[in-house]
Amino acid sequence: GDSVTQMEGPVTLSEEAFLTINCTYTATGYPSLFWYVQYPGEGLQLLLKATKADDKGSNKGFEATYRKETTSFHLEKGSVQVSDSAVYFCALSRSPGTYKYIFGTGTRLKVLA
Amino acid sequence: NAGVTQTPKFRVLKTGQSMTLLCAQDMNHEYMYWYRQDPGMGLRLIHYSVGEGTTAKGEVPDGYNVSRLKKQNFLLGLESAAPSQTSVYFCASRGDAANYGYTFGSGTRLTVV
């Protein structure tokens, strides 16, 4: 069945460091891929998405490219800030026909000043 | 601001008690979902609904019931709470296309003692 695998956390970085959070997926067909962010005490918020191969999603300085050949959707940011400290979830939605998203287990990011 | 509203935000129950969590959305979304979030396990789907009057089981439905009598509301019930149901519960909704992102509520933190 469909699945999403994220790198284990926590990831601890200094402010202005480069961030990569790995995400790989297994799915039939052509899924849409998402990154969600969860700040402490809050629900998940959509950060970015990509709906087809080679698409790049971007938002708030974060980017991720849909790589079908490697079945990956790694999240990157060139210079993290303390305010980026949160839990990041990778997810997929396979279309057509499914109503349920598959989420990864989340990766906690801690950015130190 | 519009979106997904969950009530209550916090609750403590004794083992065996019952309660209902309410999720309300004002975006005219067809699809609604209940997830639970536990440390190290990511989000697990409890039940979902693809439209008014419909419900379906997710990955971990045991011990929960749901109803979707009105399109904007999705209720999650615990008939006889158990300590294993201590968790943070999130409701989400989605528009029609599979590549739409979910909109999440801010969560209900439930403790069963």
Side-chain angles (χ1 to χ4, degrees):
Chain A
D2 297 347
S3 67
V4 173
T5 303
Q6 287 182 239
M7 61 188 291
E8 294 272 344
V11 174
T12 302
L13 295 173
S14 298
E15 207 165 22
E16 300 184 1
F18 185 86
L19 169 71
T20 300
I21 299 178
N22 291 338
C23 172
T24 57
Y25 69 89
T26 303
T28 57
Y30 300 92
S32 294
L33 301 173
F34 306 84
W35 276 102
Y36 285 81
V37 59
Q38 183 180 31
Y39 298 104
E42 299 183 10
L44 281 74
Q45 304 172 26
L46 179 63
L47 181 59
L48 53 84
K49 68 178 182 181
T51 58
K52 61 182 186 294
D54 300 324
D55 265 3
K56 178 184 282 187
S58 62
N59 186 26
K60 299 181 181 180
F62 291 90
E63 294 182 340
T65 301
Y66 187 162
R67 304 282 189 202
K68 191 162 178 64
E69 63 276 13
T70 55
T71 62
S72 65
F73 193 54
H74 304 323
L75 183 68
E76 297 181 336
K77 187 175 185 184
S79 176
V80 293
Q81 305 301 312
V82 172
S83 58
D84 294 326
S85 298
V87 181
Y88 293 82
F89 291 89
C90 185
L92 72 81
S93 170
R94 180 164 57 84
S95 62
T98 185
Y99 307 109
K100 298 170 286 181
Y101 288 8
I102 307 298
F103 285 89
T105 54
T107 302
R108 181 175 299 278
L109 170 66
K110 186 173 182 179
V111 181
L112 304 176
Chain B
N1 282 336
V4 177
T5 302
Q6 290 184 234
T7 53
K9 295 191 183 305
F10 302 93
R11 185 74 185 267
V12 178
L13 284 181
K14 293 183 179 178
T15 298
Q17 286 185 320
S18 64
M19 78 164 294
T20 301
L21 282 67
L22 172 64
C23 177
Q25 54 95 3
D26 58 6
M27 298 168 286
N28 202 37
H29 283 170
E30 288 292 336
Y31 308 118
M32 297 186 75
Y33 309 82
W34 277 107
Y35 285 88
R36 60 178 289 173
Q37 184 180 33
D38 302 291
M41 303 195 73
L43 285 90
R44 292 184 291 169
L45 182 64
I46 304 171
H47 286 281
Y48 64 101
S49 169
V50 302
E52 181 178 312
T54 74
T55 62
K57 294 179 180 180
E59 303 170 61
V60 289
D62 293 343
Y64 305 95
N65 56 76
V66 287
S67 65
R68 182 102 182 265
L69 299 179
K70 295 183 178 180
K71 187 176 184 179
Q72 63 267 35
N73 295 337
F74 194 30
L75 278 63
L76 178 70
L78 287 73
E79 291 185 347
S80 179
S84 61
Q85 295 177 304
T86 294
S87 187
V88 181
Y89 292 86
F90 287 100
C91 177
S93 70
R94 180 176 73 76
D96 286 344
N99 60 3
Y100 287 2
Y102 281 8
T103 300
F104 280 87
S106 57
T108 296
R109 183 174 295 276
L110 174 66
T111 302
V112 183
V113 298

Short mmCIF file of all heavy atoms in Angstrom, two decimals, chain A residues 32 34 36 38 41-46 49 51 87 89 93-106, chain B residues 31 33 35 37 40-43 45 48 50 57-58 88 90 94 97-107 109:
data_model
loop_
_atom_site.label_atom_id
_atom_site.label_comp_id
_atom_site.label_asym_id
_atom_site.label_seq_id
_atom_site.Cartn_x
_atom_site.Cartn_y
_atom_site.Cartn_z
N SER A 32 -0.21 13.39 -5.45
CA SER A 32 0.17 14.74 -5.08
C SER A 32 0.93 14.66 -3.76
O SER A 32 0.65 13.80 -2.92
CB SER A 32 -1.08 15.62 -4.90
OG SER A 32 -1.75 15.78 -6.13
N PHE A 34 2.77 16.73 -0.34
CA PHE A 34 2.56 17.89 0.53
C PHE A 34 3.59 17.91 1.65
O PHE A 34 4.06 16.86 2.10
CB PHE A 34 1.17 17.84 1.18
CG PHE A 34 0.02 17.69 0.22
CD1 PHE A 34 -0.35 16.44 -0.26
CD2 PHE A 34 -0.69 18.79 -0.20
CE1 PHE A 34 -1.41 16.30 -1.14
CE2 PHE A 34 -1.76 18.67 -1.08
CZ PHE A 34 -2.10 17.41 -1.55
N TYR A 36 3.43 19.66 5.51
CA TYR A 36 2.68 20.38 6.52
C TYR A 36 3.62 20.74 7.66
O TYR A 36 4.58 20.02 7.94
CB TYR A 36 1.54 19.52 7.07
CG TYR A 36 0.37 19.38 6.13
CD1 TYR A 36 0.41 18.46 5.09
CD2 TYR A 36 -0.75 20.18 6.26
CE1 TYR A 36 -0.66 18.33 4.22
CE2 TYR A 36 -1.82 20.06 5.40
CZ TYR A 36 -1.76 19.14 4.38
OH TYR A 36 -2.82 19.03 3.51
N GLN A 38 3.64 21.95 11.85
CA GLN A 38 2.87 22.05 13.10
C GLN A 38 3.70 22.78 14.13
O GLN A 38 4.71 22.27 14.61
CB GLN A 38 2.48 20.67 13.61
CG GLN A 38 1.61 20.71 14.85
CD GLN A 38 1.24 19.33 15.36
OE1 GLN A 38 2.00 18.37 15.21
NE2 GLN A 38 0.09 19.22 15.98
N GLY A 41 1.55 23.44 20.04
CA GLY A 41 0.20 23.72 20.51
C GLY A 41 -0.81 24.03 19.44
O GLY A 41 -1.94 24.44 19.75
N GLU A 42 -0.43 23.85 18.19
CA GLU A 42 -1.34 24.19 17.09
C GLU A 42 -1.63 22.98 16.21
O GLU A 42 -1.01 21.93 16.32
CB GLU A 42 -0.75 25.31 16.25
CG GLU A 42 -0.51 26.60 17.00
CD GLU A 42 0.01 27.71 16.11
OE1 GLU A 42 0.01 27.52 14.86
OE2 GLU A 42 0.42 28.74 16.66
N GLY A 43 -2.59 23.16 15.31
CA GLY A 43 -2.86 22.14 14.31
C GLY A 43 -1.87 22.24 13.16
O GLY A 43 -1.02 23.11 13.13
N LEU A 44 -2.00 21.32 12.22
CA LEU A 44 -1.11 21.31 11.06
C LEU A 44 -1.55 22.36 10.05
O LEU A 44 -2.75 22.58 9.84
CB LEU A 44 -1.13 19.93 10.38
CG LEU A 44 -0.30 18.83 11.04
CD1 LEU A 44 -0.96 18.34 12.32
CD2 LEU A 44 -0.09 17.68 10.06
N GLN A 45 -0.56 22.96 9.41
CA GLN A 45 -0.84 23.94 8.36
C GLN A 45 -0.13 23.49 7.09
O GLN A 45 1.00 23.02 7.14
CB GLN A 45 -0.29 25.33 8.74
CG GLN A 45 -0.79 25.89 10.04
CD GLN A 45 -0.04 27.15 10.41
OE1 GLN A 45 0.48 27.86 9.55
NE2 GLN A 45 0.03 27.43 11.70
N LEU A 46 -0.81 23.66 5.97
CA LEU A 46 -0.19 23.33 4.69
C LEU A 46 0.95 24.29 4.43
O LEU A 46 0.77 25.51 4.45
CB LEU A 46 -1.23 23.41 3.58
CG LEU A 46 -0.73 23.12 2.18
CD1 LEU A 46 -0.23 21.68 2.07
CD2 LEU A 46 -1.82 23.38 1.15
N LYS A 49 3.02 22.33 -1.67
CA LYS A 49 2.57 21.12 -2.33
C LYS A 49 3.11 21.06 -3.75
O LYS A 49 3.52 22.08 -4.33
CB LYS A 49 1.06 21.03 -2.35
CG LYS A 49 0.38 22.07 -3.23
CD LYS A 49 -1.12 21.89 -3.24
CE LYS A 49 -1.78 22.90 -4.16
NZ LYS A 49 -3.27 22.76 -4.17
N THR A 51 2.02 18.75 -7.44
CA THR A 51 1.00 17.83 -7.94
C THR A 51 1.47 16.94 -9.08
O THR A 51 0.76 16.03 -9.47
CB THR A 51 -0.25 18.59 -8.38
OG1 THR A 51 0.14 19.53 -9.39
CG2 THR A 51 -0.87 19.34 -7.21
N VAL A 87 7.29 20.90 14.00
CA VAL A 87 7.30 19.54 13.48
C VAL A 87 6.80 19.59 12.04
O VAL A 87 5.79 20.23 11.75
CB VAL A 87 6.42 18.60 14.31
CG1 VAL A 87 6.47 17.18 13.73
CG2 VAL A 87 6.86 18.59 15.77
N PHE A 89 5.63 17.53 8.57
CA PHE A 89 5.04 16.27 8.10
C PHE A 89 5.00 16.26 6.58
O PHE A 89 4.51 17.20 5.95
CB PHE A 89 3.60 16.12 8.61
CG PHE A 89 3.47 15.91 10.08
CD1 PHE A 89 3.36 17.00 10.94
CD2 PHE A 89 3.45 14.63 10.61
CE1 PHE A 89 3.24 16.80 12.31
CE2 PHE A 89 3.32 14.42 11.98
CZ PHE A 89 3.22 15.52 12.82
N SER A 93 -1.24 12.26 -1.46
CA SER A 93 -2.62 11.98 -1.83
C SER A 93 -2.60 11.38 -3.21
O SER A 93 -2.14 12.02 -4.16
CB SER A 93 -3.45 13.26 -1.84
OG SER A 93 -4.71 13.01 -2.41
N ARG A 94 -3.08 10.16 -3.32
CA ARG A 94 -3.05 9.49 -4.61
C ARG A 94 -4.37 9.74 -5.32
O ARG A 94 -5.44 9.55 -4.76
CB ARG A 94 -2.82 8.00 -4.43
CG ARG A 94 -2.76 7.21 -5.71
CD ARG A 94 -2.14 5.83 -5.47
NE ARG A 94 -2.84 5.07 -4.46
CZ ARG A 94 -3.93 4.34 -4.71
NH1 ARG A 94 -4.44 4.31 -5.92
NH2 ARG A 94 -4.51 3.65 -3.75
N SER A 95 -4.31 10.19 -6.51
CA SER A 95 -5.53 10.45 -7.26
C SER A 95 -5.47 9.76 -8.60
O SER A 95 -4.39 9.54 -9.14
CB SER A 95 -5.73 11.95 -7.46
OG SER A 95 -4.65 12.49 -8.20
N PRO A 96 -6.59 9.40 -9.19
CA PRO A 96 -7.92 9.64 -8.63
C PRO A 96 -8.32 8.55 -7.63
O PRO A 96 -7.65 7.55 -7.50
CB PRO A 96 -8.82 9.55 -9.86
CG PRO A 96 -8.12 8.56 -10.73
CD PRO A 96 -6.65 8.77 -10.51
N GLY A 97 -9.40 8.82 -6.96
CA GLY A 97 -10.09 7.75 -6.25
C GLY A 97 -9.89 7.66 -4.76
O GLY A 97 -10.66 7.01 -4.09
N THR A 98 -8.90 8.31 -4.19
CA THR A 98 -8.72 8.17 -2.75
C THR A 98 -9.14 9.45 -2.06
O THR A 98 -8.95 10.54 -2.59
CB THR A 98 -7.29 7.81 -2.35
OG1 THR A 98 -7.25 7.59 -0.95
CG2 THR A 98 -6.33 8.92 -2.69
N TYR A 99 -9.69 9.32 -0.88
CA TYR A 99 -10.08 10.49 -0.12
C TYR A 99 -9.16 10.72 1.07
O TYR A 99 -9.29 11.68 1.78
CB TYR A 99 -11.50 10.31 0.40
CG TYR A 99 -12.48 9.96 -0.68
CD1 TYR A 99 -13.04 8.69 -0.77
CD2 TYR A 99 -12.84 10.91 -1.63
CE1 TYR A 99 -13.95 8.38 -1.77
CE2 TYR A 99 -13.74 10.60 -2.63
CZ TYR A 99 -14.29 9.34 -2.70
OH TYR A 99 -15.17 9.03 -3.68
N LYS A 100 -8.21 9.80 1.25
CA LYS A 100 -7.40 9.83 2.46
C LYS A 100 -5.95 10.14 2.11
O LYS A 100 -5.40 9.60 1.17
CB LYS A 100 -7.45 8.48 3.17
CG LYS A 100 -8.83 8.09 3.63
CD LYS A 100 -8.86 6.65 4.09
CE LYS A 100 -8.79 5.70 2.93
NZ LYS A 100 -8.84 4.29 3.38
N TYR A 101 -5.38 11.00 2.90
CA TYR A 101 -3.98 11.30 2.74
C TYR A 101 -3.17 10.35 3.61
O TYR A 101 -3.63 9.90 4.65
CB TYR A 101 -3.67 12.73 3.17
CG TYR A 101 -4.17 13.80 2.23
CD1 TYR A 101 -5.00 13.49 1.15
CD2 TYR A 101 -3.83 15.11 2.42
CE1 TYR A 101 -5.46 14.47 0.30
CE2 TYR A 101 -4.29 16.12 1.58
CZ TYR A 101 -5.10 15.79 0.52
OH TYR A 101 -5.55 16.77 -0.32
N ILE A 102 -1.95 10.08 3.18
CA ILE A 102 -1.02 9.29 3.97
C ILE A 102 0.03 10.24 4.52
O ILE A 102 0.68 10.95 3.74
CB ILE A 102 -0.36 8.20 3.11
CG1 ILE A 102 -1.40 7.34 2.39
CG2 ILE A 102 0.56 7.35 3.98
CD1 ILE A 102 -2.32 6.59 3.31
N PHE A 103 0.20 10.26 5.84
CA PHE A 103 1.16 11.15 6.47
C PHE A 103 2.38 10.37 6.92
O PHE A 103 2.28 9.22 7.36
CB PHE A 103 0.54 11.83 7.70
CG PHE A 103 -0.43 12.91 7.38
CD1 PHE A 103 -1.77 12.63 7.18
CD2 PHE A 103 0.00 14.22 7.26
CE1 PHE A 103 -2.69 13.64 6.89
CE2 PHE A 103 -0.91 15.24 6.96
CZ PHE A 103 -2.24 14.94 6.77
N GLY A 104 3.53 11.04 6.87
CA GLY A 104 4.71 10.52 7.54
C GLY A 104 4.59 10.74 9.03
O GLY A 104 3.63 11.34 9.51
N THR A 105 5.57 10.25 9.77
CA THR A 105 5.51 10.33 11.23
C THR A 105 5.96 11.67 11.78
O THR A 105 5.84 11.92 12.97
CB THR A 105 6.36 9.23 11.87
OG1 THR A 105 7.68 9.30 11.34
CG2 THR A 105 5.77 7.85 11.61
N GLY A 106 6.45 12.56 10.92
CA GLY A 106 6.84 13.89 11.37
C GLY A 106 8.31 13.96 11.76
O GLY A 106 8.89 12.99 12.25
N TYR B 31 -15.35 16.75 2.32
CA TYR B 31 -14.64 15.69 3.03
C TYR B 31 -14.16 16.17 4.39
O TYR B 31 -13.58 17.25 4.50
CB TYR B 31 -13.44 15.22 2.20
CG TYR B 31 -13.81 14.86 0.79
CD1 TYR B 31 -13.27 15.54 -0.30
CD2 TYR B 31 -14.72 13.84 0.56
CE1 TYR B 31 -13.64 15.22 -1.59
CE2 TYR B 31 -15.09 13.51 -0.73
CZ TYR B 31 -14.54 14.20 -1.80
OH TYR B 31 -14.92 13.88 -3.08
N TYR B 33 -12.42 14.65 8.30
CA TYR B 33 -11.59 13.57 8.84
C TYR B 33 -11.34 13.79 10.33
O TYR B 33 -11.24 14.94 10.78
CB TYR B 33 -10.22 13.55 8.15
CG TYR B 33 -10.28 13.55 6.64
CD1 TYR B 33 -10.45 14.73 5.95
CD2 TYR B 33 -10.19 12.37 5.92
CE1 TYR B 33 -10.51 14.75 4.56
CE2 TYR B 33 -10.25 12.37 4.53
CZ TYR B 33 -10.41 13.57 3.86
OH TYR B 33 -10.47 13.57 2.49
N TYR B 35 -8.43 12.59 13.09
CA TYR B 35 -7.14 11.94 13.32
C TYR B 35 -6.82 12.01 14.81
O TYR B 35 -7.26 12.91 15.51
CB TYR B 35 -6.02 12.68 12.58
CG TYR B 35 -5.98 12.47 11.09
CD1 TYR B 35 -6.71 13.28 10.24
CD2 TYR B 35 -5.18 11.48 10.54
CE1 TYR B 35 -6.66 13.09 8.86
CE2 TYR B 35 -5.12 11.28 9.17
CZ TYR B 35 -5.87 12.10 8.34
OH TYR B 35 -5.82 11.91 6.99
N GLN B 37 -3.25 12.03 17.23
CA GLN B 37 -1.80 12.22 17.15
C GLN B 37 -1.18 11.79 18.46
O GLN B 37 -1.49 12.34 19.52
CB GLN B 37 -1.45 13.68 16.85
CG GLN B 37 0.04 13.90 16.66
CD GLN B 37 0.40 15.34 16.36
OE1 GLN B 37 -0.25 16.27 16.84
NE2 GLN B 37 1.42 15.55 15.54
N GLY B 40 5.55 9.95 18.46
CA GLY B 40 6.27 8.94 17.70
C GLY B 40 5.45 8.17 16.69
O GLY B 40 5.96 7.29 15.99
N MET B 41 4.14 8.50 16.59
CA MET B 41 3.28 7.72 15.69
C MET B 41 2.64 8.58 14.61
O MET B 41 1.86 8.09 13.81
CB MET B 41 2.20 7.00 16.50
CG MET B 41 2.78 6.09 17.57
SD MET B 41 1.61 4.93 18.23
CE MET B 41 1.43 3.81 16.89
N GLY B 42 2.94 9.83 14.59
CA GLY B 42 2.36 10.67 13.55
C GLY B 42 0.85 10.79 13.71
O GLY B 42 0.31 10.72 14.81
N LEU B 43 0.18 10.95 12.59
CA LEU B 43 -1.27 11.07 12.59
C LEU B 43 -1.89 9.76 12.11
O LEU B 43 -1.48 9.22 11.08
CB LEU B 43 -1.73 12.19 11.67
CG LEU B 43 -1.53 13.60 12.18
CD1 LEU B 43 -0.18 14.12 11.77
CD2 LEU B 43 -2.63 14.52 11.67
N LEU B 45 -5.58 7.96 11.12
CA LEU B 45 -6.96 8.28 10.75
C LEU B 45 -7.94 7.40 11.52
O LEU B 45 -7.84 6.17 11.50
CB LEU B 45 -7.13 8.08 9.24
CG LEU B 45 -8.49 8.40 8.65
CD1 LEU B 45 -8.81 9.88 8.80
CD2 LEU B 45 -8.52 8.00 7.17
N TYR B 48 -13.64 8.96 8.70
CA TYR B 48 -13.74 10.06 7.77
C TYR B 48 -15.12 10.07 7.12
O TYR B 48 -15.91 9.12 7.28
CB TYR B 48 -12.64 10.03 6.72
CG TYR B 48 -12.67 8.84 5.79
CD1 TYR B 48 -13.19 8.95 4.50
CD2 TYR B 48 -12.16 7.61 6.17
CE1 TYR B 48 -13.21 7.87 3.64
CE2 TYR B 48 -12.18 6.52 5.33
CZ TYR B 48 -12.69 6.66 4.07
OH TYR B 48 -12.71 5.58 3.21
N VAL B 50 -17.15 11.42 3.41
CA VAL B 50 -17.02 11.98 2.06
C VAL B 50 -18.23 12.82 1.69
O VAL B 50 -18.35 13.26 0.54
CB VAL B 50 -16.77 10.88 1.01
CG1 VAL B 50 -15.51 10.11 1.36
CG2 VAL B 50 -17.96 9.94 0.88
N LYS B 57 -14.72 4.01 8.16
CA LYS B 57 -13.66 3.74 9.12
C LYS B 57 -12.28 4.03 8.54
O LYS B 57 -12.03 3.77 7.36
CB LYS B 57 -13.73 2.27 9.56
CG LYS B 57 -14.98 1.93 10.33
CD LYS B 57 -14.99 0.46 10.72
CE LYS B 57 -16.25 0.12 11.50
NZ LYS B 57 -16.28 -1.31 11.90
N GLY B 58 -11.41 4.50 9.40
CA GLY B 58 -10.03 4.70 9.02
C GLY B 58 -9.16 3.58 9.59
O GLY B 58 -9.59 2.44 9.69
N VAL B 88 -4.10 13.63 21.34
CA VAL B 88 -4.55 14.90 20.76
C VAL B 88 -5.32 14.55 19.50
O VAL B 88 -4.82 13.83 18.63
CB VAL B 88 -3.38 15.83 20.43
CG1 VAL B 88 -3.91 17.14 19.84
CG2 VAL B 88 -2.54 16.11 21.67
N PHE B 90 -7.33 15.68 16.09
CA PHE B 90 -7.43 16.73 15.08
C PHE B 90 -8.52 16.40 14.08
O PHE B 90 -8.63 15.27 13.60
CB PHE B 90 -6.11 16.89 14.31
CG PHE B 90 -5.03 17.54 15.11
CD1 PHE B 90 -4.04 16.78 15.69
CD2 PHE B 90 -5.03 18.91 15.30
CE1 PHE B 90 -3.03 17.37 16.44
CE2 PHE B 90 -4.03 19.51 16.04
CZ PHE B 90 -3.04 18.74 16.61
N ARG B 94 -11.45 19.00 3.61
CA ARG B 94 -10.80 19.16 2.30
C ARG B 94 -11.84 19.43 1.23
O ARG B 94 -12.96 18.93 1.29
CB ARG B 94 -10.02 17.89 1.97
CG ARG B 94 -9.30 17.93 0.64
CD ARG B 94 -8.46 16.67 0.42
NE ARG B 94 -9.21 15.48 0.13
CZ ARG B 94 -9.79 15.19 -1.03
NH1 ARG B 94 -9.73 16.04 -2.03
NH2 ARG B 94 -10.43 14.06 -1.19
N ALA B 97 -10.96 18.30 -4.94
CA ALA B 97 -9.87 17.68 -5.68
C ALA B 97 -8.86 17.06 -4.74
O ALA B 97 -8.57 17.60 -3.67
CB ALA B 97 -9.17 18.69 -6.58
N ALA B 98 -8.30 15.91 -5.15
CA ALA B 98 -7.35 15.22 -4.28
C ALA B 98 -6.09 16.03 -4.06
O ALA B 98 -5.39 15.80 -3.08
CB ALA B 98 -7.02 13.85 -4.87
N ASN B 99 -5.79 16.98 -4.95
CA ASN B 99 -4.56 17.75 -4.73
C ASN B 99 -4.79 19.01 -3.90
O ASN B 99 -3.91 19.83 -3.75
CB ASN B 99 -3.90 18.10 -6.06
CG ASN B 99 -4.81 18.95 -6.94
OD1 ASN B 99 -5.91 19.31 -6.54
ND2 ASN B 99 -4.35 19.26 -8.12
N TYR B 100 -5.99 19.14 -3.36
CA TYR B 100 -6.22 20.19 -2.39
C TYR B 100 -5.59 19.78 -1.07
O TYR B 100 -5.61 18.62 -0.71
CB TYR B 100 -7.70 20.44 -2.16
CG TYR B 100 -8.42 21.14 -3.27
CD1 TYR B 100 -7.80 21.50 -4.45
CD2 TYR B 100 -9.77 21.44 -3.15
CE1 TYR B 100 -8.47 22.13 -5.47
CE2 TYR B 100 -10.47 22.08 -4.16
CZ TYR B 100 -9.81 22.42 -5.31
OH TYR B 100 -10.48 23.05 -6.31
N GLY B 101 -5.08 20.76 -0.34
CA GLY B 101 -4.58 20.44 0.99
C GLY B 101 -5.70 20.33 1.99
O GLY B 101 -6.81 20.82 1.76
N TYR B 102 -5.39 19.69 3.08
CA TYR B 102 -6.32 19.67 4.20
C TYR B 102 -6.26 21.01 4.94
O TYR B 102 -5.22 21.65 4.99
CB TYR B 102 -5.88 18.64 5.23
CG TYR B 102 -6.19 17.19 4.98
CD1 TYR B 102 -6.71 16.72 3.79
CD2 TYR B 102 -5.94 16.27 5.98
CE1 TYR B 102 -6.96 15.38 3.61
CE2 TYR B 102 -6.19 14.93 5.81
CZ TYR B 102 -6.71 14.49 4.62
OH TYR B 102 -6.95 13.15 4.45
N THR B 103 -7.38 21.37 5.56
CA THR B 103 -7.40 22.43 6.56
C THR B 103 -7.66 21.77 7.91
O THR B 103 -8.66 21.06 8.07
CB THR B 103 -8.50 23.46 6.26
OG1 THR B 103 -8.25 24.03 4.97
CG2 THR B 103 -8.48 24.55 7.32
N PHE B 104 -6.77 22.00 8.85
CA PHE B 104 -6.86 21.36 10.15
C PHE B 104 -7.43 22.31 11.20
O PHE B 104 -7.21 23.52 11.14
CB PHE B 104 -5.49 20.92 10.64
CG PHE B 104 -5.01 19.63 10.05
CD1 PHE B 104 -4.34 19.62 8.83
CD2 PHE B 104 -5.23 18.43 10.70
CE1 PHE B 104 -3.90 18.43 8.28
CE2 PHE B 104 -4.79 17.23 10.17
CZ PHE B 104 -4.13 17.23 8.95
N GLY B 105 -8.12 21.73 12.16
CA GLY B 105 -8.46 22.45 13.37
C GLY B 105 -7.26 22.51 14.30
O GLY B 105 -6.21 21.92 14.03
N SER B 106 -7.41 23.20 15.41
CA SER B 106 -6.30 23.40 16.34
C SER B 106 -6.15 22.28 17.35
O SER B 106 -5.21 22.29 18.14
CB SER B 106 -6.44 24.74 17.05
OG SER B 106 -7.69 24.78 17.73
N GLY B 107 -7.05 21.33 17.34
CA GLY B 107 -6.88 20.13 18.15
C GLY B 107 -7.63 20.15 19.46
O GLY B 107 -7.98 21.21 20.01
N ARG B 109 -7.05 18.26 23.17
CA ARG B 109 -6.17 17.42 23.99
C ARG B 109 -7.03 16.72 25.02
O ARG B 109 -7.63 17.35 25.89
CB ARG B 109 -5.10 18.27 24.67
CG ARG B 109 -4.11 17.44 25.47
CD ARG B 109 -2.98 18.30 26.01
NE ARG B 109 -2.16 18.85 24.95
CZ ARG B 109 -1.16 18.22 24.37
NH1 ARG B 109 -0.83 16.99 24.74
NH2 ARG B 109 -0.46 18.81 23.40
#
